[in-house]
Amino acid sequence: MTKTGSGRPRDPQIDAEVLAAARELLVDVGFDQLSMRAIAARAGVSRAAIDRRWDSKAQLVLDAVLGVTPDLTPFAGADREGWIRWVVTGSSELFRRPEVREAVPGLLATLRDQEDLRNTLWRGFSGPSSALYAESSGPGDLLDARALLVLGAGAALFLSLIAVEEDTQEMRERVLQILLPVARGEQG
């Protein structure tokens, strides 16, 4: 979600340092206390360098915790069952990371109020992974893929924030047992 534009090419090392600094500071001070100024200081770059790359703290944090583009490597070559397994396990791994746990409450509030950012996030992450699901089963399954993303990622988010005492391997396996029949065509 970084800014793009004309002009001289951006130094990818600055991007990497800024994103790493944001992740570190999220763990140290949390989303609410995180500032662009503090990120710049930790990364050893100017505030202007950050402002040229990101429109807001929320965009920077999303890139820091999710990546600029979705990592589709785990989905490569996966059948429907493998795709569902990765949605559930990958989402669970993501939401248990310390920097993500610190970022999510503030990001949720920001995303609630910023429709453009929310829509960009959803399209950017659901579109490519849903397309991979549909490749293995047919174009009519895009809705199923998006629904499975909502269920798998939503369960992981809920477990990491609200039902923390239920966030166990046993519970994650049970979520998979409930969702996997879809991959086998046993539910519709």
Side-chain angles (χ1 to χ4, degrees):
M1 282 195 243
T2 57
K3 291 181 185 179
T4 59
S6 59
R8 71 177 185 208
R10 303 277 188 238
D11 181 352
Q13 185 61 34
I14 292 175
D15 291 6
E17 290 169 2
V18 168
L19 295 173
R23 287 188 293 274
E24 292 168 8
L25 283 166
L26 279 165
V27 174
D28 292 348
V29 302
F31 183 86
D32 291 338
Q33 299 304 312
L34 183 68
S35 72
M36 300 291 254
R37 187 177 316 277
I39 295 169
R42 173 80 57 106
V45 302
S46 70
R47 171 72 193 265
I50 292 176
D51 290 341
R52 282 191 297 271
R53 290 165 168 80
W54 291 277
D55 286 325
S56 68
K57 176 173 86 170
Q59 283 183 331
L60 192 156
V61 169
L62 282 169
D63 284 356
V65 299
L66 296 178
V68 177
T69 58
D71 177 11
L72 300 177
T73 308
F75 293 107
D79 60 6
R80 290 169 54 142
E81 185 171 323
W83 188 94
I84 292 169
R85 282 186 182 283
W86 179 248
V87 166
V88 172
T89 58
S91 296
S92 179
E93 290 169 9
L94 172 72
F95 289 119
R96 288 191 321 230
R97 290 183 6 219
E99 68 274 16
V100 175
R101 289 181 59 84
E102 291 297 329
V104 164
L107 283 174
L108 288 175
T110 301
L111 290 169
R112 176 197 63 215
D113 297 334
Q114 294 185 16
E115 183 178 355
D116 288 346
L117 186 58
R118 182 178 64 243
N119 290 336
T120 299
L121 173 65
W122 176 243
R123 282 190 305 270
F125 282 85
S126 71
S129 59
S130 295
L132 289 173
Y133 181 88
E135 278 179 16
S136 70
S137 53
D141 288 332
L142 283 173
L143 181 60
D144 284 354
R146 289 191 307 271
L148 287 163
L149 277 170
V150 167
L151 292 168
L157 176 62
F158 190 85
L159 286 168
S160 74
L161 287 179
I162 301 190
V164 177
E165 64 281 350
E166 298 286 342
D167 193 5
T168 63
Q169 183 62 33
E170 180 182 27
M171 179 61 79
R172 290 186 292 276
E173 285 297 321
R174 185 64 186 131
V175 169
L176 271 171
Q177 289 170 2
I178 292 168
L179 293 178
L180 285 175
V182 174
R184 299 178 194 119
E186 298 170 10
Q187 293 180 349

